[in-house]
Amino acid sequence: MLPITIWVSFEWINPCVSFPLFVFINSRNDVVEAERKDGGEAKSAQSHRQRWRRREDNIVEITKNKREENFLKKRREGLQGQQFPAAVDVTQRQEEAATQFRKLLWIERNPPTEEVIQAGVVPRFVSFLATDDCPQLQFEAACALTNIASGTSEHIKVVIDHGAVPIFVRLLRSKSDDVCEQAVWALGNVAGDSPKCQNRVLSYGALMPLLSQFNDEAKLSMLRNAT
C-alpha cells in the first residue's frame, strides 16, 4: 500500500493556509497480492476438503476389508467344525446317472437316442463296462448301450466305433447273470444289423461264450436273447 501526498488548500477558511493530506491507496501489486491470497485460501480450503474426503474413503475401505476378513474367519471356523465324508461316492453318482439315461432310452416310442449320443456319454458307458467291481454300474451302462444299438445302423456304428463289442464279448463270462444277459442282448442287436456286423462280433470270439449260455441253469430270457 503506497501513500500519496495531496496538497489541499482550505482557502475557504484561510486563503494563506494549505497543508498536505496523506491518502493511502492500494497499488496494483497490492491488489494482485490480495487476490492471490484469496485464491490461495480457496485452494487451501478445497485441498483440505479433498484430504478429508480421501480420509473418509480410506476409513470406509478399511472398515469394509475388516468386515470381509471377519466373515471369512467365521466361515473357516464354521467349516472346520463340520464333519464331512472322507470321499464322495462317485460310483453311486455314476450309477444314478447311467440309470437316468437307461430310462430315457427305454421309452417305447421315439426314444431320444440321437440326443443321448450327441451328449457325448457313449464313451463313458463303454468305460463303465470295464468296472468289474461294480456289477450294477456295468448293468446300467450295458442297458443304455443295448438300447442305443437297437436303433439305426448309424447308432449301432457309434457303439462299434467306441469299442463296446469286444468288452461285451468279455462280459459273456461275467459272474453277474444280469450283466451277462445284457451283453448277449447287446451283441444280438449289433450282429442283427448286417452280415458285416455279424462277422465283426464273431471275429472277437463271441461264438463259444454264447454257446456256453445254453445250459440247464440258464434263464428263459437268456436263452431267448442268445438265439
Side-chain angles (χ1 to χ4, degrees), residues 136-152:
Q136 184 61 35
L137 180 58
Q138 280 183 316
F139 172 76
E140 295 294 345
C143 287
L145 291 171
T146 299
N147 282 280
I148 292 175
S150 66
T152 65

Side-chain angles (χ1 to χ4, degrees), residues 57-68 70:
D57 293 340
N58 291 337
I59 293 174
V60 171
E61 185 67 22
I62 293 172
T63 304
K64 180 181 178 181
N65 293 337
K66 190 67 176 178
R67 188 183 300 113
E68 292 178 353
N70 292 334

Side-chain angles (χ1 to χ4, degrees), residues 108-125:
E108 185 175 355
R109 299 182 60 182
N110 299 322
T113 305
E114 188 63 33
E115 289 79 357
V116 171
I117 293 174
Q118 293 300 322
V121 295
V122 173
R124 297 291 292 170
F125 291 152

Side-chain angles (χ1 to χ4, degrees), residues 62-222:
I62 293 172
T63 304
K64 180 181 178 181
N65 293 337
K66 190 67 176 178
R67 188 183 300 113
E68 292 178 353
E69 181 180 351
N70 292 334
F71 172 77
L72 293 175
K73 181 179 179 181
K74 291 181 180 179
R75 184 176 182 182
R76 286 193 297 268
E77 292 175 352
L79 291 175
Q80 291 174 357
Q82 296 181 13
Q83 297 295 328
F84 293 96
V88 179
D89 191 353
V90 178
T91 302
Q92 182 178 355
R93 294 173 59 183
Q94 290 173 340
E95 289 181 7
E96 292 173 355
T99 301
Q100 294 300 319
F101 278 105
R102 185 253 299 168
K103 290 180 179 180
L104 283 174
L105 293 167
W106 266 6
I107 297 176
E108 185 175 355
R109 299 182 60 182
N110 299 322
T113 305
E114 188 63 33
E115 289 79 357
V116 171
I117 293 174
Q118 293 300 322
V121 295
V122 173
R124 297 291 292 170
F125 291 152
V126 174
S127 67
F128 292 160
L129 294 178
T131 57
D132 295 331
D133 56 336
C134 302
Q136 184 61 35
L137 180 58
Q138 280 183 316
F139 172 76
E140 295 294 345
C143 287
L145 291 171
T146 299
N147 282 280
I148 292 175
S150 66
T152 65
S153 297
E154 290 298 323
H155 298 160
I156 294 173
K157 185 177 184 299
V158 171
V159 175
I160 294 174
D161 291 345
H162 283 91
V165 173
I167 303 178
F168 277 128
V169 173
R170 183 177 66 81
L171 291 179
L172 292 175
R173 296 184 174 89
S174 173
K175 296 179 180 180
S176 171
D177 292 339
D178 292 334
V179 172
C180 184
E181 183 175 351
Q182 281 300 316
V184 172
W185 196 348
L187 291 172
N189 287 346
V190 173
D193 183 62
S194 67
K196 181 179 179 180
C197 291
Q198 182 179 354
N199 292 334
R200 180 183 288 270
V201 171
L202 293 175
S203 68
Y204 287 110
L207 181 59
M208 295 307 297
L210 282 171
L211 292 176
S212 67
Q213 304 302 322
F214 295 95
N215 55 65
D216 295 337
E217 298 179 358
K219 295 188 298 184
L220 181 61
S221 58
M222 171 68 79

